[in-house]
Amino acid sequence: MSISKYILTIVAIVSAFIFTSCEKEIDVDLKSSEPKLVIEGLIAADSLATVRLTMSKDFSGNNTFDPVLGAIVSVSDDKGNTETLKIDTSGIYKAINLRGVPGRTYNLKVNVDGQQYTASSTMSPHTVKIDSITMYYIPLFKYAFPMIHFQDPKGSKNYYRELLYINGKRKKMEEDATDTDDREGFYLSRIIPAYKENGSDEDPIKKGDTITVEHQLLDKGAYTFFETLGRIGNSQTNPTNNIVGGALGYFSAYTFDRKTVIADWPE
């Protein structure tokens, strides 16, 4: 992957601005005319495993997604620990005891009406810390984007994804996972694009806002899902996932770091 994936130029930002910003929260199911199970499985370092199950809808359907009830969902690790997840009042299947441990491989099993789906994801043994966050002012937009700075570890190819929170609320963004294909072991800077919402004239980031970035270190399977999700746009294909059995979605075991700054920049 080229260096432009790490340090965006103004040209790249202007080009990206022509695309609609949307929450890629498995709206890939719109590419499937026949309803399919959609799995969103997560286990972060020192966090409980969670799995969200919904059914895909045709493109012409409404944009509400009811949880799939009555599924048997379990997560196990390579140390012999396993737990059957329980559904909560929000429709999310959650573990009570099983937490993510760096370096372990996790296996997901989902059984819905006798059909089994499986996935595996390995959590990195380390966390890549955010060294700092600066605000990158863009005259075209008249506000600044957050830019994270971090040291990529030597000796392994790594895969990253970021989430952005503005005043505690997650910002809708285009998915943009990246790897260290030609930057392994480098000190890296990465802009987190924050575009205006559809139909809104309000700047998404203002001076004085509290900006939090979550910097995730993924395995290759989860990275491939998010990277292809970011590239497919409105094509009639679904992103490459790591789930066996025909479901859409992904399963990701990951480490992460978060850092918060107050937005400010010279103009």
Side-chain angles (χ1 to χ4, degrees):
M1 185 169 291
S2 69
I3 192 171
S4 62
K5 295 296 289 184
Y6 301 95
I7 304 177
L8 275 69
T9 64
I10 293 297
V11 173
I13 296 169
V14 172
S15 297
F17 187 61
I18 65 174
F19 294 100
T20 300
S21 176
C22 61
E23 180 78 18
K24 295 286 187 179
E25 197 166 4
I26 314 307
D27 50 1
V28 295
D29 46 12
L30 298 180
K31 281 83 175 177
S32 175
S33 57
E34 179 183 349
K36 288 187 176 182
L37 181 68
V38 182
I39 298 173
E40 298 171 76
L42 298 170
I43 181 163
D46 198 33
S47 300
L48 296 170
T50 65
V51 178
R52 180 175 182 254
L53 303 179
T54 55
M55 295 300 295
S56 67
K57 292 187 177 182
D58 185 75
F59 185 81
S60 60
N62 63 43
N63 203 30
T64 59
F65 299 90
D66 297 325
V68 173
L69 307 177
I72 301 173
V73 180
S74 65
V75 176
S76 60
D77 65 19
D78 55 2
K79 299 297 182 182
N81 303 298
T82 186
E83 183 173 348
T84 299
L85 279 57
K86 304 296 183 183
I87 194 168
D88 67 6
T89 55
S90 68
I92 306 295
Y93 292 83
K94 293 184 176 181
I96 298 175
N97 300 305
L98 190 68
R99 292 180 177 272
V101 177
R104 293 188 183 178
T105 295
Y106 291 88
N107 298 294
L108 170 69
K109 290 184 180 179
V110 176
N111 189 298
V112 177
D113 296 330
Q115 177 66 43
Q116 182 165 283
Y117 309 87
T118 61
S120 179
S121 184
T122 298
M123 189 180 297
S124 172
H126 55 264
T127 299
V128 175
K129 297 284 188 179
I130 299 173
D131 181 56
S132 62
I133 302 176
T134 56
M135 300 301 296
Y136 189 83
Y137 179 69
I138 303 167
L140 176 66
F141 297 152
K142 298 182 180 179
Y143 63 90
F145 289 172
M147 176 185 281
I148 63 170
H149 310 273
F150 61 96
Q151 176 65 55
D152 181 68
K154 296 181 180 179
S156 65
K157 185 173 180 177
N158 295 307
Y159 307 92
Y160 299 107
R161 174 184 183 234
E162 284 79 36
L163 304 182
L164 173 63
Y165 297 84
I166 303 173
N167 297 324
K169 181 179 179 181
R170 183 174 167 185
K171 177 74 176 71
K172 296 180 181 180
M173 299 192 304
E174 293 284 346
E175 287 295 347
D176 186 26
T178 191
D179 63 18
T180 55
D181 199 22
D182 59 357
R183 299 277 88 189
E184 183 181 318
F186 280 57
Y187 189 82
L188 302 175
S189 296
R190 181 164 161 78
I191 283 180
I192 314 301
Y195 303 122
K196 294 180 179 180
E197 300 287 341
N198 288 343
S200 174
D201 292 327
E202 184 177 356
D203 292 343
I205 296 178
K206 304 177 183 65
K207 289 187 177 184
D209 284 347
T210 300
I211 304 298
T212 300
V213 177
E214 179 175 301
H215 182 52
Q216 298 181 355
L217 180 55
L218 310 175
D219 72 351
K220 186 174 182 180
Y223 158 77
T224 300
F225 173 83
F226 288 112
E227 195 272 337
T228 56
L229 178 60
R231 284 193 290 107
I232 60 176
N234 293 321
S235 68
Q236 295 303 305
T237 59
N238 288 306
T240 303
N241 68 22
N242 58 353
I243 298 172
V244 177
L248 303 174
Y250 67 97
F251 178 51
S252 179
Y254 62 97
T255 61
F256 68 95
D257 186 38
R258 291 194 189 104
K259 200 170 189 68
T260 298
V261 297
I262 301 301
D264 195 16
W265 58 86
E267 298 180 16

